[in-house]
Amino acid sequence: MIGSGLKKFAVENGLRVAKGVAYGNLRGFAATLSEGSGYKQIVITTKFADPNKLQELQAAVNQKNIAREYRVQRLDFGVDGIRIVFGDTVGTMKKIAAFVDWFFPMLHVYGVQGAELCGECGGQLTGGCWKLINGVAYHMHESCAEHVRGQIASDNESRKLESEGSYVTGLFGALLGAAIGAVVWALVLNAGYVASLVGLLIGWLAEKGYNLLKGKQSKGKVVILAVAVVLGVVMGTFAADVMTLVQLINETEGMMLTYGDIPQFLLMLLQEDAEYAAAVATNIGMGLLFAGLGVFALLRKTGAEVADQKFVDLD
């Protein structure tokens, strides 16, 4: 969804708001405005007929410190458009408006394709239609839009048919990777730390194990990785206590507790020692929090990789 700032900007510039984005002809170019956690962005769907002009445009942009002046975090020129990402803090909308006033006239100067041409075939548009493809609005001929719709549907179906592998082997690989990460987690806990970096390691190892054992590349992968990360944190938390007890057994003469008694002893502590149970719950909770922070980007990336392409009618 987009907030009130982008909606107001959209209305002032003759754009429409639908499906969680603002879109339309912005200063002569097909643009999509959207936002997320900590950022706002503008995507211009266009093509570059002359590579030399594109290089000149990039050189002109590089002459200004756009990060300092307009809070631009990224400006990417791709084969089918331009993506501008702004850091979202107080006053960002004024920065966006100023950037649009400076940048969009340059697009005309350097011959960038405008909204009057089809985003698919590049031909002249009379009327045309707007379609949302993977969250970005495109202005196209109706016939071109139907061609793209069919192509996306075919690609999605082909990807599903070609997706080999098994959730069973993937789950085993993910759990194996998470178990290795759990050992590192236990060592870190015994050293008195809880780190999001270790959570990221558990997620990375879980995905590596999933892929090595040829897990199915589909939506279920994200669920399996999330479960593996949670189990990795839990296993690592108890493994830290196991290491502590093993060390205690080795260093204490006449210790009645044996290695084989450790699982039952920990279970008894959980049931009868409220202080220990609370400490375990705290460690697991903190572990999941930091692990979540560490692997959130990884899971989002994985989700994007296995998701279907989306084609939505805007008008």
Side-chain angles (χ1 to χ4, degrees), residues 175-193:
L175 292 177
L176 183 61
I180 297 172
V183 174
V184 180
W185 187 265
L187 293 172
V188 170
L189 276 181
N190 270 336
Y193 300 101

Side-chain angles (χ1 to χ4, degrees), residues 140-277:
M140 296 185 286
H141 294 111
E142 288 283 1
S143 57
C144 290
E146 289 308 307
H147 172 75
V148 172
R149 187 198 303 272
Q151 190 175 50
I152 287 177
S154 177
D155 289 346
N156 287 339
E157 187 63 28
S158 296
R159 185 185 57 78
K160 291 177 182 178
L161 293 174
E162 293 171 1
S163 179
E164 300 178 352
S166 164
Y167 283 139
V168 175
T169 58
L171 175 61
F172 181 76
L175 292 177
L176 183 61
I180 297 172
V183 174
V184 180
W185 187 265
L187 293 172
V188 170
L189 276 181
N190 270 336
Y193 300 101
V194 178
S196 60
L197 184 62
V198 182
L200 181 60
L201 176 65
I202 293 176
W204 183 84
L205 288 170
E207 185 183 35
K208 182 64 67 174
Y210 187 96
N211 292 335
L212 285 176
L213 293 190
K214 302 187 183 304
K216 188 176 181 64
Q217 301 299 318
S218 190
K219 294 179 181 179
K221 177 181 179 181
V222 178
V223 177
I224 289 174
L225 292 182
V227 170
V229 169
V230 171
L231 291 178
V233 170
V234 174
M235 287 188 295
T237 300
F238 283 105
D241 291 337
V242 170
M243 290 179 181
T244 299
L245 290 174
V246 167
Q247 184 178 5
L248 183 63
I249 292 171
N250 291 337
E251 295 176 353
T252 305
E253 291 188 14
M255 185 75 171
M256 299 298 294
L257 189 69
T258 66
Y259 297 150
D261 295 329
I262 290 177
Q264 185 176 357
F265 180 71
L266 290 177
L267 180 60
M268 181 194 70
L269 286 178
L270 280 175
Q271 294 173 337
E272 300 180 5
D273 189 331
E275 186 176 345
Y276 173 73

Side-chain angles (χ1 to χ4, degrees), residues 110-159:
Y110 292 99
V112 176
Q113 174 180 305
E116 75 281 0
L117 301 180
C118 176
E120 174 65 13
C121 72
Q124 190 73 35
L125 280 171
T126 301
C129 60
W130 289 90
K131 305 297 179 182
L132 195 67
I133 303 174
N134 297 324
V136 177
Y138 288 79
H139 197 203
M140 296 185 286
H141 294 111
E142 288 283 1
S143 57
C144 290
E146 289 308 307
H147 172 75
V148 172
R149 187 198 303 272
Q151 190 175 50
I152 287 177
S154 177
D155 289 346
N156 287 339
E157 187 63 28
S158 296
R159 185 185 57 78

